[in-house]
Amino acid sequence: GGPDCVWTLVVDAVPLTIANDIAVPLALIVNELLTNAIQHSRPMGDGGTVHVVVRSHPDDFSVSVTDPGGGPGVAQTTSGLGTRLVDALTRQINATITKQKSAASYAVTLTVPHHPPRIG
C-alpha cells in the first residue's frame, strides 16, 4: 500500500437495468466496498487490483468486489460507520452479503433479488 500505491480497477459487468430505488443504495454500497478495498488491503509491490464483477441470474443479480488481501480490505469486519451503512443499505434492497477470504484475496458479494417493475 502506501501513498504512492497505484490501483487498477477491473470491471467485468453484464448490462443490467435496475430500478432507481435499487440503483442508488447499490451505488453507495459498491462505493463503500471499493473504498474499503483500497484503504485497507495490503497489495504486494507498488500497486493492487480491485475486481468488480456483475452477474445476472434468473431470480437475482450479484455484484462482487475483490481485493488483493493482506489486510481487512473489502471484507472489513469492524463495526464502523461504513460497515453499518452497508448493512443498512443491504437490508433496504432485500439483498444478502457474503464475505470470502482466500490466501490471495478478499471478496464481498452482494446478491440482490430482481424486483418486479412498479406499476403506476
Side-chain angles (χ1 to χ4, degrees):
D4 298 326
C5 185
V6 175
W7 286 91
T8 301
L9 179 63
V10 177
V11 179
D12 177 7
V14 296
L16 199 59
T17 301
I18 56 176
N20 203 46
D21 58 345
I22 301 299
V24 172
L26 183 62
L28 294 169
I29 292 168
V30 172
N31 179 70
E32 184 62 29
L33 295 177
L34 287 171
T35 299
N36 285 350
I38 291 168
Q39 287 184 341
H40 300 290
S41 65
R42 312 263 192 287
M44 300 298 288
D46 295 328
T49 301
V50 178
H51 292 264
V52 178
V53 177
V54 179
R55 292 285 176 262
S56 185
H57 314 281
D59 297 326
D60 56 38
F61 67 92
S62 62
V63 180
S64 297
V65 180
T66 306
D67 71 39
V74 72
Q76 189 180 19
T77 54
T78 64
S79 60
L81 179 61
T83 302
R84 292 198 306 272
L85 176 68
V86 167
D87 289 345
L89 291 169
T90 298
R91 284 191 303 272
Q92 181 180 325
I93 60 175
N94 298 317
T96 57
I97 197 161
T98 55
K99 299 177 182 181
Q100 294 176 299
K101 178 182 177 182
S102 72
S105 66
Y106 287 100
V108 174
T109 301
L110 190 71
T111 303
V112 186
H114 285 302
H115 294 264
R118 294 230 171 119
I119 298 170

